[in-house]
Amino acid sequence: MSSPTYGVRHIAIIMDGNGRWAKRKHLPRALGHKKGVEAVRNIVRVAGEMGIEVMTLYAFSSENWNRPQEEVSDLMGLLRQYIQSDIDEFVENGVRLKVIGNYRALDSDIVAMIDNAIEKTAQNSKMTLAVALNYGAQDEMLRAVQHIAGRVRSGELEPEAINLSDISDALDTADLPPLDLLIRTSGELRLSNFLLWQAAYSELYFTDALWPDFDKAELEKALQSFGHRERRFGGR
Ligand code: IPE
Ligand code: IPE
Ligand code: MG
């Protein structure tokens, strides 16, 4: 039997806790990240089977460059492997890959791999997997402001005429449906610069589960919690 999704179209996840997962098991952090990739692979499959339209995953933030260089390069290595090994499955399962964040600042071979994967999966329509890479919501808004300022300078738009759609259309998520449910693993109660604009009326779900342990049962718990929420959007 398929699991109920309670009308959720778009789920985003702050995948946190790989380091603590490894620490608890007396393993190197890198192994925690490796397990984290396996959890990604699994949850993407599960979400596809459930009929979730969009899954947005926070994989590397614009602040994660502050980590030791060795960890950053481990993460970039895993990203290379993941794109290479999973692209065929995306094609097979109808998954369209999208990237949010300033990914063009990553190493040029990764940028090329991403562009290739985006192109190869562009026609897929079962699910969109949006991966946040070198993503920060404040950076996203800054880029949006620069884009809109350019439109104003060219005379295409008057400052007083700028509306909410102009802003959301200038964000990396412009083509995605509204964010229904934002999940964070590992017990941290903060957004860490993720989807600040898009989360305006999202339902929030925090779990103590560490990301490598987040599986189908955990996703079902989050959806069930969503199912009990009353969304008001400021109305009554
Ligand atoms: C999340 O796990 C993965 C990334 C941020 C890339 P962490 O590496 O943040 O794990 P903790 O928070 O140290 O446990
Ligand atoms: C948020 O996790 C970023 C990702 C999951 C990619 P962090 O581990 O970087 O967040 P903080 O530093 O605990 O706020
Ligand atoms: Mg963390």
Side-chain angles (χ1 to χ4, degrees):
M1 210 188 73
S2 67
S3 317
T5 54
Y6 305 95
V8 168
R9 298 177 65 198
H10 183 179
I11 299 180
I13 310 182
I14 302 173
M15 309 183 289
D16 199 11
N18 293 349
R20 277 162 285 169
W21 183 92
K23 193 167 187 192
R24 269 181 211 178
K25 296 193 146 44
H26 307 285
L27 295 168
R29 274 184 86 82
L31 262 179
H33 292 313
K34 192 159 174 266
K35 273 283 172 187
V37 174
E38 287 172 27
V40 167
R41 190 170 285 129
N42 180 53
I43 218 69
V44 169
R45 273 181 202 145
V46 164
E49 283 160 14
M50 284 181 173
I52 300 293
E53 270 173 67
V54 181
M55 179 145 252
T56 300
L57 299 177
Y58 206 4
F60 192 86
S61 79
S62 48
E63 286 73 37
N64 286 148
W65 298 110
N66 296 326
R67 296 191 176 200
Q69 207 223 307
E70 193 193 329
E71 182 170 357
V72 171
S73 78
D74 284 344
L75 287 166
M76 293 302 149
L78 283 169
L79 177 61
R80 283 187 179 90
Q81 273 178 23
Y82 177 67
I83 303 170
Q84 273 171 338
S85 61
D86 284 48
I87 172 88
D88 290 343
E89 183 170 333
F90 293 161
V91 172
E92 212 168 289
N93 292 345
V95 175
R96 175 177 81 105
L97 181 73
K98 177 183 169 73
V99 172
I100 63 169
N102 186 11
Y103 75 93
R104 298 205 167 273
L106 300 177
D107 287 350
S108 59
D109 69 306
I110 299 185
V111 176
M113 267 182 210
I114 291 172
D115 284 337
N116 175 52
I118 291 173
E119 196 188 303
K120 259 190 164 165
T121 62
Q123 302 309 318
N124 292 350
S125 57
K126 190 158 179 285
M127 183 172 93
T128 296
L129 171 63
V131 182
L133 291 173
N134 190 21
Y135 176 89
Q138 292 176 341
D139 175 68
E140 179 190 35
M141 288 188 212
L142 171 64
R143 288 183 284 111
V145 168
Q146 287 169 340
H147 175 77
I148 292 166
R151 292 180 61 199
V152 169
R153 183 174 55 193
S154 74
E156 178 198 331
L157 191 63
E158 289 296 326
E160 304 73 28
I162 299 170
N163 61 31
L164 293 174
S165 299
D166 292 318
I167 299 175
S168 45
D169 289 349
L171 296 173
D172 298 343
T173 51
D175 59 333
L176 300 181
L179 177 59
D180 298 305
L181 176 60
L182 175 57
I183 298 172
R184 183 172 189 145
T185 60
S186 87
E188 306 296 349
L189 305 179
R190 55 177 172 264
L191 298 181
S192 300
N193 203 12
F194 193 43
L195 301 177
L196 299 181
W197 172 277
Q198 296 83 348
Y201 271 104
S202 306
E203 294 297 324
L204 308 180
Y205 179 84
F206 298 96
T207 172
D208 286 335
L210 302 173
W211 176 251
D213 295 326
F214 193 90
D215 57 7
K216 183 176 183 186
E218 294 289 341
L219 183 62
E220 284 172 341
K221 272 195 254 171
L223 285 164
Q224 249 167 43
S225 169
F226 178 92
H228 291 112
R229 314 279 180 95
E230 186 196 349
R231 302 188 81 184
R232 297 211 192 112
F233 302 97
R236 57 166 283 181

